[in-house]
Amino acid sequence: MRPFHRAASAAAAVLLLAGGPTGCSMLDDAGSSGGAADGGTPSVDAAGDPIVKATLGAPPQEPSAEVEIAVMGLRVRGRLATLTVQMTPRLPAGGPDETSPYKLNGNDGIDPALIDPVNLKRYVVVEDSGGAELATDDITTDLDNGKAGTLQFTFAAPPENVKAVDLQFGSWPTFRNIPVER
């Protein structure tokens, strides 16, 4: 192996170990609420009872379709907050067996946003170093008819003095007073 290739291979190995090209962040984990990095147990925030749940109309293309949206939680870990939502499509008989969040929102992006009523700020989904959103892809995610599918979205965490936020989620009405779990 030529010296240049050895140096390039070594640099790539260092970057992979540091989380460089993967989009991983070296954020300070102060205030973490647990997890594998600090000896906690890894988990997915989809279990348990929802904070709020609503059955709403689906897109105009499917006037008899509905979608159940359940906000499962907004959990802060370090300087990030992860929103977990379950969507259950209720499609008419004889129609498709699956759909996507994008289709349920009238062929438009979900574009979730947290509204901070204390500091009058709007939080949008954060992106990694490559420009990819840290979120479930609402176009390519398949949701089976009648079955809950879990979606996750990562935001900058609201400050400690913010105990609850409002959630704008697709074209549906705003979900109010979603507690911020720390």
Side-chain angles (χ1 to χ4, degrees):
M1 185 179 273
R2 295 197 303 198
F4 175 76
H5 290 135
R6 267 185 285 209
S9 295
V14 169
L15 283 174
L16 283 174
L17 289 173
T22 63
C24 294
S25 174
M26 302 303 269
L27 292 176
D28 173 22
D29 217 9
S32 171
S33 61
D38 60 0
T41 305
S43 67
V44 175
D45 296 332
D49 294 328
I51 293 168
V52 64
K53 180 169 47 170
T55 301
L56 306 161
Q61 306 90 297
E62 290 286 349
S64 58
E66 292 181 330
V67 60
E68 181 180 284
I69 300 173
V71 178
M72 304 305 290
L74 177 63
R75 181 165 297 168
V76 171
R77 183 169 177 266
R79 297 188 329 199
L80 298 175
T82 301
L83 173 71
T84 304
V85 175
Q86 289 184 342
M87 294 183 76
T88 307
R90 309 254 186 243
L91 305 173
D97 291 333
E98 64 183 30
T99 188
S100 69
Y102 179 83
K103 290 178 185 173
L104 288 171
N105 192 43
N107 292 330
D108 202 5
I110 296 292
D111 301 324
L114 304 178
I115 307 302
D116 174 349
V118 175
N119 300 295
L120 302 178
K121 290 186 178 183
R122 180 175 182 262
Y123 298 91
V124 296
V125 173
V126 297
E127 296 178 350
D128 67 13
S129 59
E133 288 188 337
L134 298 179
T136 304
D137 188 318
D138 55 0
I139 295 174
T140 61
T141 298
D142 290 329
L143 299 173
D144 293 328
N145 191 19
K147 295 182 182 173
T150 301
L151 299 97
Q152 291 192 319
F153 307 92
T154 303
F155 303 86
E160 290 276 341
N161 66 332
V162 178
K163 304 301 179 202
V165 295
D166 295 340
L167 169 63
Q168 292 177 327
F169 194 75
S171 61
W172 297 287
T174 300
F175 292 88
R176 303 270 180 214
N177 297 316
I178 305 300
V180 178
E181 301 171 42
R182 297 192 187 268

